[in-house]
Amino acid sequence: SLPFEPGYLKLPGTDALGFVLIDGGQFLMGSDPTRHRTAFRDEQPQTSVSVPAFYVARYEVTVEQYKACVDDRGCKHASPRAVAGDVDRPVRFISWDEAVQYCDWLDAKLRAWPGTPAPLAAVLKHGPGGAPWKVRLPSEAEWELAARGKTSRIYPWGDANEPSRGNFNN
C-alpha cells in the first residue's frame, strides 16, 4: 500500500480536507406539492426528521481521487471509464459498492496518517455526540439536509429555479 502523503489524494487544503460540518437537528424532509408543483410522489408527504450533526464532503469525489484508491488497490473498479477522462471532474461509472470501497479506503488512510488535520482527526476519534465519525456515504436524510438546510427550500439556494446555479435538463 502506498503511504498517504499530502496531495496524494488531491483533497482540498482546508482544515478538514474539504469536509464541512452540517449542524444536526429537526427539519422537514420531502417536498410540499402546493409549493413545488414538480415534486415527485416519492418526495411526499413532508415528514419531520431529526438528524444528528455530521460531516459531508463539500465537493464530489474526482476521477483523480478515485484513481488514487484504485492505484493503491483499495478500490476495484468494474469499468475502465471510471478512471478515464478529466481528472478534476467527478468520478462516474462506479457502483454503490465501489463508492463504499472508496469511503472505507479513505477512512483507513485518514485514520493512519499522522498528518490528518487536527479538526478532522478529532472527529475520527470522537465525532459529534461522542461516537467516532467514519467516512461513509450520507443517508438520504443527511443528503437532503446538506442540500436544503433546515428551511423548506425547493432548491439549495431558495425556491426559484435558477439554471445558472445548477445542472438542469432543459
Side-chain angles (χ1 to χ4, degrees), residues 42-123:
D42 64 355
E43 297 173 357
Q44 302 168 39
Q46 279 190 312
T47 306
S48 182
V49 176
S50 183
V51 175
F54 63 97
Y55 281 82
V56 68
R58 180 181 299 270
Y59 308 105
E60 296 165 302
V61 175
T62 65
V63 168
E64 186 172 42
Q65 291 166 334
Y66 185 73
K67 188 176 182 321
C69 182
V70 171
D71 290 347
D72 197 34
R73 295 192 171 99
C75 296
K76 296 172 184 75
H77 66 284
S79 172
R81 297 184 302 172
V83 293
D86 189 340
V87 297
D88 292 330
R89 297 284 187 187
V91 69
R92 304 175 301 154
F93 308 114
I94 66 169
S95 68
W96 181 86
D97 289 327
E98 291 162 337
V100 170
Q101 285 176 2
Y102 176 81
C103 292
D104 290 345
W105 175 81
L106 182 59
D107 185 78
K109 290 294 185 180
L110 291 174
R111 287 176 190 283
W113 185 42
T116 298
L120 190 55
V123 297

